[in-house]
Amino acid sequence: MSASVLYFLIAAVIAVPLFRSLRLGAILGYLCAGMLIGPSGLHLISETQDLLHFSEIGVVLLLFVIGLELNPEKLWKMRGHITLVGGGQMLLSALAIGAVFYSVSSMISQSIVIGLALALSSTAFAVQLMVEKGVLGSPSGRLGFAILLMQDLAVIPVLLVVSYLAPTTTGEMMSPWVSLTAVVILLAIGRYAINPILDLIARFGSYETMTATALLIVLGAAFLMDGAGLSMGLGAFMAGVLLANSRYRHQLETDIKPFKGLTLGLFFIAIGMSFNVDLLVSEPLPLIALALALMLAKATLVTLLLMLAKQPWRKALPIALMLSQGGEFAFVIMTEASGSGLVPIGLAEKVNLVVGLSMMLTVPLVSLLPLLNRRQVTTNQEGPVNVSSTDVLILGFGRFGQMTGRILSANHIPFTAIDQDPEHINFVRQFGNTVYFGDATRLDLLHNAGIGSAQAVIVAIDNAEAATEVVKLIRMNFSKVKIIARARNRMHYLKLKAAGADVMIREIYDGSLTAAEEALSAIGYSTGQAIKAIELFRKHDSDLLERAAEHYHDPEKVLQIGLEGRKELEQLFNDDIDSQR
């Protein structure tokens, strides 16, 4: 097994960069790598079925992350699209494919099963493509996602149809009451238990414990649904939806993503390994023709459905092509159908190859679309995408961050706030603020929180050293975003400036100046005299800081400038008093 892991890593490290450099996408690289190292290639790995079964965890994790981006209100709003567009695609595709196969074979049961299997698209494949092309959040992308969601919901009924049509039964069907009970249990846990548990982990645990908790939530929900006779992916998706409004959403997504990426890569490599390459070599043209015919039929149907949903064909066609391939669940369905004797093994292998070839052909065909019309692919990111969208990102939501947030909210400016204190977050959320738990020093968390779309980042973290490190991290990776940082004192001001902050706000500076102005007024200064004295100090202090910033790495020089500045300030005030006599 250790050697298998080594081969997997070598294949991923070589194939993915190579195929991305050729603009063919990572997924196609994984598939080809699997074919190369699998039983039909170099035979470096032979445990194809076990590996495929294990790697389905990648699909489970992907569905959880997708669920995190869909709160129940958004999901309810999508019910029409899921039912009409998604259901229409599933029904029409299955009827069309099944009718064609029946016209050739006259086998009604096989026609139904193959029609249903090939009507499914690859959620992992299509979502990954839509994310890479930046269209998942567009109106047409949301419709495409609704189609995929309907297909995922249909997997369990399709498998039940296979069991019903099979000439032999492999076991008793799970009671509907067991499945319903499992759903109710998952809803109750998600609604009442998960957030309190995460509060305890955030307060007393470590980041490793939080990562383990995130994996436990996803896999626990998946195996609960699996044990009740439902889809593991459906359980993970439900868990994600239940946590979509959680203050820990971004942290959970950040912790899950590395595991999701690795297991998804393993999943696609396992699919490539399962292909019967000898069959492909002996019948290449018929199989490729069948794959293209499948893609043409599904792309045409999806395009028409999206156009009926008032999407222009130029935006509908890319989405339709991204959904035109066969899906990973077709492998599961064909395994069940061939194992029960419903579909001959040779026919199942051909169907699997057609699905695999359609996956391989999808990426090149989608890549050709911009050549036909460069305006087809939109980068609209409004909606359920894997990365949030925000105008302003506030890191640290104590008194300093809250005041800024209140002003932004009053002006209807969207912002996302990140804080590390679970008790603090619970208190602030009572007043309607949207604050998430997370460590702002993690680059992946900043990505998930939407820093890529932010116009400004306010660094209001209490810890001065952490704030400086965050400013360095942001400036290094996001050169265009404006950084407004809270400075604890003069030295922290200089550190933040050197780290790349655009604006440094000393937290007690303006309050101190206001207090000084009031004191001057109390001892007899006129309002004009007090204001002038404060403005004189403000200008001199600002100039002094700019001079000190030039010599930030020379503490002795900074100290010398400070001493000289004190004498200069005294002289300025003396000169001002003399001019008034």
Side-chain angles (χ1 to χ4, degrees), residues 334-551:
M334 285 297 102
T335 300
E336 292 290 326
S338 60
S340 62
L342 181 58
V343 175
I345 294 178
L347 178 59
E349 288 183 344
K350 288 184 179 180
V351 172
N352 287 342
L353 275 175
V354 169
V355 171
L357 287 170
S358 68
M359 288 181 174
M360 291 185 175
L361 292 170
T362 300
V363 176
L365 290 177
V366 171
S367 300
L368 291 176
L369 282 175
L371 300 178
L372 301 176
N373 189 333
R374 296 184 180 276
R375 297 176 300 170
Q376 288 184 71
V377 181
T378 177
T379 57
N380 184 5
Q381 292 292 333
E382 303 172 0
V385 295
N386 281 342
V387 178
S388 300
S389 177
T390 187
D391 290 340
V392 179
L393 186 60
I394 303 177
L395 306 179
F397 210 59
R399 289 174 295 175
F400 190 100
Q402 285 178 47
M403 190 67 68
T404 307
R406 287 169 61 186
I407 296 172
L408 294 174
S409 294
N411 287 275
H412 308 290
I413 298 173
F415 69 88
T416 298
I418 303 293
D419 199 88
Q420 235 179 323
D421 187 340
E423 292 184 356
H424 186 198
I425 292 172
N426 289 335
F427 175 76
V428 172
R429 285 172 71 94
Q430 294 176 10
F431 300 93
N433 298 99
T434 302
V435 190
Y436 296 103
F437 175 87
D439 178 8
T441 61
R442 294 180 59 174
L443 182 60
D444 48 0
L445 180 70
L446 297 179
H447 274 291
N448 293 336
I451 193 171
S453 65
Q455 299 179 49
V457 178
I458 298 172
V459 181
I461 300 170
D462 283 336
N463 187 295
E465 292 182 2
T468 305
E469 291 304 313
V470 168
V471 170
K472 289 180 181 178
L473 181 69
I474 296 173
R475 181 52 68 218
M476 185 181 301
N477 294 278
F478 305 95
S479 59
K480 295 182 179 179
V481 69
K482 186 169 185 177
I483 304 175
I484 304 165
R486 165 194 181 187
R488 302 302 299 269
N489 47 49
R490 295 177 70 85
M491 185 55 65
H492 191 212
Y493 178 104
L494 296 177
K495 289 181 179 179
L496 290 170
K497 185 176 179 64
D502 298 292
V503 179
M504 290 69 64
I505 308 296
R506 283 180 279 173
E507 57 184 13
I508 60 172
Y509 182 66
D510 287 326
S512 300
L513 294 184
T514 301
E517 182 180 335
E518 292 294 332
L520 291 174
S521 297
I523 63 175
Y525 276 58
S526 68
T527 301
Q529 288 175 325
I531 292 175
K532 184 177 180 180
I534 296 301
E535 289 304 315
L536 183 65
F537 176 85
R538 187 192 297 273
K539 184 178 185 306
H540 176 266
D541 190 63
S542 178
D543 292 341
L544 196 65
L545 275 175
E546 290 299 317
R547 285 160 53 192
E550 296 177 2
H551 304 280

Side-chain angles (χ1 to χ4, degrees), residues 160-404:
L160 292 176
V161 169
V162 173
S163 299
Y164 176 77
L165 294 175
T168 60
T169 57
T170 57
E172 296 182 1
M173 292 174 55
M174 189 69 67
S175 168
W177 292 107
V178 175
S179 301
L180 180 61
T181 302
V183 171
V184 172
I185 291 174
L186 180 58
L187 291 174
I189 293 175
R191 177 67 178 82
Y192 298 107
I194 291 183
N195 275 318
I197 291 173
L198 289 173
D199 284 341
L200 290 174
I201 297 298
R203 191 180 308 171
F204 301 112
S206 62
Y207 281 108
E208 293 80 7
T209 310
M210 181 64 76
T211 301
T213 305
L215 289 171
L216 178 61
I217 290 171
V218 182
L219 298 181
F223 282 106
L224 176 63
M225 292 295 101
D226 183 58
L230 298 174
S231 166
M232 293 179 66
L234 180 61
F237 179 79
M238 287 178 60
V241 171
L242 290 171
L243 289 168
N245 290 324
S246 169
R247 51 192 167 274
Y248 296 98
R249 190 190 91 187
H250 290 303
Q251 185 69 40
L252 290 170
E253 184 178 356
T254 301
D255 289 336
I256 287 295
K257 270 193 170 181
F259 298 97
K260 184 203 73 174
L262 285 172
T263 50
L264 265 183
L266 180 61
F267 173 76
F268 287 117
I269 285 181
I271 289 177
M273 290 168 54
S274 67
F275 293 157
N276 187 337
V277 179
D278 293 335
L279 180 61
L280 176 61
V281 172
S282 62
E283 302 179 27
L285 294 181
L287 290 171
I288 293 174
L290 287 172
L292 290 172
L294 171 67
M295 297 176 68
L296 177 62
K298 292 179 71 172
T300 301
L301 284 171
V302 173
T303 300
L304 292 175
L305 286 170
L306 294 186
M307 290 175 65
L308 288 174
K310 300 181 180 180
Q311 294 298 310
W313 74 268
R314 295 183 186 279
K315 294 183 178 180
L317 181 58
I319 300 298
L321 270 180
M322 293 176 197
L323 271 64
S324 63
Q325 77 289 133
E328 57 271 7
F329 287 113
F331 301 114
V332 178
I333 294 170
M334 285 297 102
T335 300
E336 292 290 326
S338 60
S340 62
L342 181 58
V343 175
I345 294 178
L347 178 59
E349 288 183 344
K350 288 184 179 180
V351 172
N352 287 342
L353 275 175
V354 169
V355 171
L357 287 170
S358 68
M359 288 181 174
M360 291 185 175
L361 292 170
T362 300
V363 176
L365 290 177
V366 171
S367 300
L368 291 176
L369 282 175
L371 300 178
L372 301 176
N373 189 333
R374 296 184 180 276
R375 297 176 300 170
Q376 288 184 71
V377 181
T378 177
T379 57
N380 184 5
Q381 292 292 333
E382 303 172 0
V385 295
N386 281 342
V387 178
S388 300
S389 177
T390 187
D391 290 340
V392 179
L393 186 60
I394 303 177
L395 306 179
F397 210 59
R399 289 174 295 175
F400 190 100
Q402 285 178 47
M403 190 67 68
T404 307

